[in-house]
Amino acid sequence: MKRIAFIGLGTMGSAMSANIVKGGFEVVGYDPNPAAVEQLETDGGVGAQSPAAAASGADIVVTMLPIGSIVESVLFGESGVVETLRGNRLVIDMSSISPRETDKIREGLNRRGIRMIDAPVGRTSHFARLGKLLIMAGGVAADIEEARPVLACMGSEIEDCGGPGMGVRMKAINNLMSTALNSLTAEVLTLAEAYGLSVDKAIEVMGGTPASKGHLVTTYPNKVLKGDIEADFMLDLAKKDLDLAINMAVDADVPLATAKAAAAVYSEAQDAGYGVKDWTALYAMYKQRYLTGSEC
Ligand code: NAD
């Protein structure tokens, strides 16, 4: 039976490690919080006194920690994983940390003959308990394959994101979309209520438009992603609609910071001559400006 060391038994890690136990692996876990270690033992795992003790004799080490500096100290610090983990073993870091930190950590492990994949997760602790996380894996394909049986205990979707470090990069991109949309969502519902609209009705109506479905699956595939920015819906008209809502917000004394930031981007696009193009041409503008050699 393969032995898995699991470091970081918090909200996510406790559920994930329990699911690895259920998957038939031997799990040895460490967390500075004794209650978290006790929980792992109740779930059928074995508690350890340090990351080094957990990693001793492990085939794979999984880390699920709050921030990059803690991942670094768990691996390389006093009583850290590298003190005991044998060469050519695999570390799977599932924490949400920065690509820069991930790359540095991977290089440090590789120098010691240890392989690493980054595999942060999407979705909440509810899905962690169900073993239905979305796992964004970055690493050498063979290493991801080696990790797959363990990852499959924790997630229902395992995406190979295309090489070392690409998992954390994908996670950051995904979170940019979801966190920024959260801010806009809060503004939109507040404005709806300020104008006496039923929030339930607003959600129902938006459910059938790009407002709720998102541009990635509605407007973009048919236009800018195909290299076509001729207007289906003209950017000038989209800006007019955006301004209309922002003016309503001003009248209702509800400041909308996210919407105003978006309006500034539309204005830039108009200044750059995209006003008569499709509203998805915002992406063409960004690519043209910031990705050298790219045009739409
Ligand atoms: P958490 O704070 O609940 O758990 C972190 C655990 O790490 C704690 O049990 C803590 O005691 C432990 N820890 C701290 N220092 C340690 C050390 N030196 N050695 C060993 N263990 C140590 O956090 P979480 O919600 O489980 O999140 C973990 C990671 O997953 C974060 O990077 C987070 O951003 C990411 N994430 C969380 C969620 C979520 O819904 N909670 C969803 C997706 C991703």
Side-chain angles (χ1 to χ4, degrees):
M1 189 198 291
K2 275 205 167 179
R3 181 189 287 197
I4 312 301
F6 202 110
I7 323 270
L9 304 166
T11 308
M12 298 294 279
S14 60
M16 292 157 71
S17 55
N19 283 329
I20 299 176
V21 173
K22 277 190 206 146
F25 293 94
E26 186 185 347
V27 177
V28 183
Y30 170 74
D31 194 291
N33 175 6
V37 177
E38 268 171 42
Q39 183 60 50
L40 173 66
E41 289 170 341
T42 306
D43 292 334
V46 175
Q49 294 299 315
S50 69
S56 175
D59 297 295
I60 291 178
V61 175
V62 181
T63 46
M64 189 53 171
L65 296 158
I67 54 173
S69 57
I70 296 183
V71 180
E72 261 192 89
S73 76
V74 156
L75 294 173
F76 305 112
E78 201 184 324
S79 301
V81 165
V82 299
E83 285 185 13
T84 56
L85 190 66
R86 280 176 293 155
N88 203 32
R89 292 292 189 268
L90 184 62
V91 169
I92 309 174
D93 181 36
M94 306 191 74
S95 324
S96 303
I97 65 174
S98 81
R100 211 175 279 213
E101 291 169 317
T102 292
D103 293 347
K104 186 174 164 221
I105 290 166
R106 188 183 58 254
E107 282 158 20
L109 288 171
N110 289 169
R111 270 200 301 278
R112 291 166 171 86
I114 299 167
R115 295 167 292 130
M116 172 184 161
I117 67 172
D118 45 298
V121 304
R123 304 184 184 142
T124 58
S125 56
H126 169 73
F127 290 92
R129 284 190 289 279
L130 295 175
K132 291 190 171 169
L133 292 167
L134 165 65
I135 299 176
M136 292 162 260
V140 173
D143 294 341
I144 295 177
E145 282 318 302
E146 183 179 329
R148 197 173 284 275
V150 180
L151 298 177
C153 299
M154 300 179 271
S156 51
E157 282 158 73
I158 302 161
E159 297 285 349
D160 181 341
C161 295
M166 290 304 174
V168 288
R169 285 163 171 81
M170 186 65 78
K171 167 75 179 163
I173 294 302
N174 175 74
N175 281 19
L176 170 60
M177 185 68 103
S178 57
T179 52
L181 277 178
N182 182 17
S183 167
L184 185 60
T185 303
E187 290 180 9
V188 164
L189 294 184
T190 304
L191 188 60
E193 278 197 78
Y195 273 86
L197 287 162
S198 141
V199 166
D200 287 345
K201 183 54 83 178
I203 292 170
E204 187 188 322
V205 169
M206 288 188 285
T209 79
S212 172
K213 289 176 179 246
H215 284 272
L216 290 182
V217 297
T218 55
T219 58
Y220 273 46
N222 294 320
K223 297 300 296 181
V224 69
L225 290 178
K226 276 190 186 163
D228 174 11
I229 57 167
E230 291 316 308
D232 270 3
F233 180 45
M234 208 162 65
L235 193 142
D236 277 342
L237 289 177
K239 174 66 163 48
K240 178 260 303 176
D241 290 349
L242 181 53
D243 285 342
L244 203 147
I246 289 172
N247 290 334
M248 282 169 63
V250 170
D251 291 345
D253 215 6
V254 179
L256 303 183
T258 321
K260 281 188 193 150
V265 176
Y266 276 85
S267 293
E268 272 182 52
Q270 288 176 314
D271 292 345
Y274 289 98
V276 295
K277 300 295 184 187
D278 193 66
W279 60 332
T280 62
L282 290 183
Y283 176 41
M285 174 180 79
Y286 273 122
K287 280 195 358 158
Q288 204 263 335
R289 279 192 187 169
Y290 304 116
L291 302 180
T292 44
S294 164
E295 57 182 74
C296 191

